[in-house]
Amino acid sequence: MTTRDTAASTGVDHVWPTGLTTTPAGGLALHGRALQDLSREYGTPAYLMDVDDLRARAAELREEFAAAFGAIGTTADVYYAGKAFLCSQLVRVIDAEGLGLDVCTGGELAVARKAGFPGERIGMHGNNKSESEIAAALDYGVGRIVVDSFEEIDRIAAAAQARGLTVGVMIRVKTGVEAHTHEFIATAHEDQKFGFSLAGGQVSRAVGTILEHADSLQLLGFHSHIGSQIFESEGFRVAAQRLIGLQLEVAREHGVTLPELDLGGGFGIAYLPTDTPLSVRDMARQLAAIVADACESAGMPLPRVSIEPGRAIVGPAGITIYEVGTVKPVVVSDDLVRTYVSVDGGMSDNARPALYRADYSVALANRPGSEDTAQSRVVGKHCESGDIVVRDAQLPDDVTAGDLLAVAATGAYCRSLASQYNHVPRPPVLAVSRAGVTTWLRRETVDDLLALEGE
């Protein structure tokens, strides 16, 4: 049975990784490995990453953006946003696919260094980079640093001067564009921590300050990130127009043509069957047209453009498997009985439903299940009423203890936001491909939980 057949049988359409199929017994498999067999071998909960799917998404982004921006006469670089999910094995995949890498802490940089990722293809973000993090970035030869405050300009300049370096920097700008998303992940409006405000002349002052440090800082251009889970390109149009307008101001006031423009990431993915994100090709072509139009209107040359997708690469490639422990019907009202299906993980391995009321698709993974369904809520084992994995699901009404559930599109912001809440060890990350199964991150143990305890 094909992936699309599997999608139809589980009722969740395009949210699953491309390597997902059904077994002859009616369960789910990833690249021919039954999820039930994987659960027996590696335990639950566990994150599964379809590496072939991940590689294909990375390659598609690189190729489509190169083609779209090449068609208008410039270049586009794709930087993988490591905050979505990071480990050294994934970094090596990103390197092999020819992408750049965004990091935003010293810890993420350390993972990149462990993997041997080329420093010149790394960009460093963060609204409060420490002196030690800046030093580590410069010592590793990081290609660009996105500056976020006036204090940071001085810190970077001092560290570069002490090393006799000239460091490429970009200025993060609050463009005033709010993506249609949860307020905690909309990042370009004024009342939040990231970037320099257009109001009050902050961006202009930042430009002048950087140019005064020409011996140690090279201003590459402006950076914007308007939010996450973006399904259309119009927000990027306003952001690009404002950034190109800023580049025109710099050219007029300082006689400097800035060579680069970073539009950030935030491209949405499908978590539910009703989610309809733009295709990579459409997004690439629309963004290229937006940049071309903005530059033509401003009379500015086309800059080298970069984007920073994270979720769009790893999100759809990941699934999480859980074992059902308790099934509890709850009378909600006279006309509603909701079945609470408790699993052996929860908010410690997926914080997004608690943080953002994020929605997911879920399927019974070890067998076909009854054709009759029950209004269900998949919940975790933690001591929190908000410990919800999937808020509203139609699961077979014969789901019982010992069954296996699979939750789709968990490759991004699940392991990276995972915690040890209630002292629950974090699950492993298993890379599954046509070539086999590899452990990217092992399961934590109770010994790991106790390792930091003092005597």
Side-chain angles (χ1 to χ4, degrees), residues 83-348:
K83 64 180 182 174
F85 168 68
L86 202 67
C87 70
S88 59
Q89 296 272 33
L90 173 63
V91 170
R92 294 185 182 107
V93 171
I94 295 302
D95 186 12
E97 293 302 327
L99 274 58
L101 176 65
D102 271 338
V103 300
C104 56
T105 66
E108 291 183 351
L109 179 59
V111 174
R113 292 176 63 178
K114 174 181 169 62
F117 195 91
E120 66 274 14
R121 283 170 37 215
I122 296 177
M124 190 168 200
H125 281 277
N127 67 297
N128 188 28
K129 305 175 192 72
S130 67
E131 290 185 1
S132 62
E133 288 174 324
I134 291 169
L138 298 189
D139 290 342
Y140 193 59
V142 162
R144 67 185 193 183
I145 299 179
V146 180
V147 298
D148 206 89
S149 67
F150 290 105
E151 292 89 346
E152 194 170 274
I153 294 172
D154 294 336
R155 289 177 198 153
I156 299 168
Q161 196 167 44
R163 290 163 172 77
L165 300 174
T166 300
V167 181
V169 297
M170 303 191 82
I171 297 174
R172 180 155 179 170
V173 179
K174 300 178 187 181
T175 56
V177 180
E178 290 193 59
H180 298 289
T181 186
H182 191 282
E183 66 171 306
F184 292 164
I185 50 178
T187 55
H189 57 87
E190 291 293 336
D191 192 12
Q192 50 88 29
K193 69 180 185 177
F194 293 107
F196 291 88
S197 175
L198 283 171
Q202 281 194 357
V203 174
S204 179
R205 282 177 53 210
V207 170
T209 304
I210 291 171
L211 293 179
E212 288 172 1
H213 290 288
D215 60 330
S216 55
L217 302 179
Q218 179 190 5
L219 181 57
L220 300 176
F222 294 109
H223 175 284
S224 171
H225 184 67
I226 64 174
S228 297
Q229 272 299 89
I230 301 167
F231 279 18
E232 46 83 32
S233 64
E234 282 308 299
F236 291 105
R237 180 181 301 279
V238 178
Q241 289 171 344
R242 292 178 181 172
L243 295 181
I244 295 296
L246 288 172
Q247 290 189 330
L248 178 60
E249 290 180 18
V250 172
R252 287 174 173 172
E253 293 179 19
H254 301 282
V256 176
T257 300
L258 301 180
E260 297 190 28
L261 174 69
D262 192 317
L263 293 175
F267 308 146
I269 67 169
Y271 288 101
L272 302 175
T274 52
D275 290 340
T276 55
L278 281 175
S279 70
V280 171
R281 176 168 293 181
D282 286 343
M283 181 65 84
R285 291 179 174 179
Q286 289 180 27
L287 290 190
I290 285 169
V291 171
D293 290 345
C295 288
E296 182 178 2
S297 296
M300 291 291 291
L302 288 163
R304 187 182 187 103
V305 175
S306 49
I307 58 166
E308 301 167 353
R311 183 198 317 262
I313 294 174
V314 294
I319 62 178
T320 306
I321 55 174
Y322 300 98
E323 184 176 299
V324 174
T326 302
V327 179
K328 182 189 298 183
V330 174
V331 178
V332 178
S333 64
D334 290 342
D335 57 354
L336 175 60
V337 176
R338 176 176 286 120
T339 301
Y340 276 72
V341 180
S342 296
V343 296
D344 54 353
M347 64 188 299
S348 62

Side-chain angles (χ1 to χ4, degrees), residues 20 33 50 74 87 196 226 234 267-268 344 349 378 413-414:
L20 194 78
R33 296 293 299 268
D50 183 341
T74 189
C87 70
F196 291 88
I226 64 174
E234 282 308 299
F267 308 146
D344 54 353
D349 59 71
V378 180
Y413 301 108
C414 289

Side-chain angles (χ1 to χ4, degrees), residues 5 16 36 57 68 89-90 99 113 126 155 169 198 208 238 307 352 357 365 377 392 396 412 419 443 447:
D5 291 333
W16 297 100
Q36 187 170 31
R57 292 177 190 277
Q89 296 272 33
L90 173 63
L99 274 58
R113 292 176 63 178
R155 289 177 198 153
V169 297
L198 283 171
V238 178
I307 58 166
R352 293 187 69 254
R357 291 184 66 88
R377 178 163 292 170
D392 294 300
S419 73
R443 184 182 302 280
D447 287 341

Side-chain angles (χ1 to χ4, degrees), residues 1-14 16-18 20-23 26-28:
M1 185 176 286
T2 67
T3 303
R4 286 298 176 193
D5 291 333
T6 299
S9 70
T10 55
V12 290
D13 197 12
H14 54 299
W16 297 100
T18 55
L20 194 78
T21 57
T22 51
T23 68
L28 299 180

